[in-house]
Amino acid sequence: MPTRRIGLRVVHAALGAALAVALAGCDMGARVVSNGFAPGDDFSYMAQAKRGGGTTFGLISGAVSSDGSIAGELQVVRVEGGAVSKETAELAGTANEDGTAVFRGIGPDGADVTATLEEERAVMITDKEPGVPATEWQRASLPAFNGAVQNASQG
């Protein structure tokens, strides 16, 4: 009887190992971040803040490469009294295994900014204000961002 139990344990271990290899081969066994920044993702988030007589818009957009590095750009547009000023900066960072992202040097005084995605990726929350006095960013395309800026500049 002990030999039979050992044999069954060996068979179960072998089946478990084969299943793990099969699942890893088709990416079913891989960790999936369903609500965060992940390799292969493109992203684009916009914020808008009114201060005084003007409005500041920000767009953070980019892509996460297969190794988790992030490249993109930060656009900050200020509209006041019909005048428009625009600043664009390169965006670099890292997507972390927990689904967060760190954007290097775009925060106040050159600080790094950590971002998380919420509400099925519709909202990005940042721990600092990257060029725009806002920490909540809505998913938006470049045309939507440009349209919002144009509408604000036309009064």
Side-chain angles (χ1 to χ4, degrees):
M1 196 102 167
T3 305
R4 185 170 178 208
R5 284 187 185 162
I6 293 172
L8 286 175
R9 288 182 185 161
V10 169
V11 169
H12 287 177
L15 286 174
L19 181 60
V21 168
L23 290 175
C26 64
D27 283 339
M28 288 180 66
R31 182 189 63 81
V32 176
V33 177
S34 63
N35 203 25
F37 293 91
D41 285 350
D42 291 326
F43 59 89
S44 182
Y45 291 89
M46 178 181 114
Q48 174 180 340
K50 293 186 179 192
R51 291 261 170 104
T55 304
T56 302
F57 297 89
L59 183 73
I60 294 177
S61 60
V64 183
S65 69
S66 61
D67 68 355
S69 61
I70 293 175
E73 70 178 12
L74 167 65
Q75 293 184 47
V76 177
V77 179
R78 290 178 183 81
V79 178
E80 188 167 356
V84 177
S85 65
K86 180 178 178 180
E87 300 172 26
T88 302
E90 285 187 24
L91 179 71
T94 305
N96 299 313
E97 287 188 15
D98 64 359
T100 62
V102 176
F103 304 126
R104 289 190 293 276
I106 65 168
D109 300 321
D112 291 348
V113 172
T114 301
T116 57
L117 299 180
E118 297 182 356
E119 298 179 27
E120 301 298 317
R121 298 179 181 230
V123 176
M124 178 177 71
I125 304 295
T126 57
D127 66 339
K128 297 177 186 73
E129 299 177 347
V132 178
T135 56
E136 184 172 312
W137 301 67
Q138 304 297 315
R139 185 170 40 204
S141 65
L142 180 59
F145 174 76
N146 289 337
V149 170
Q150 183 176 6
N151 288 342
S153 68
Q154 294 173 349

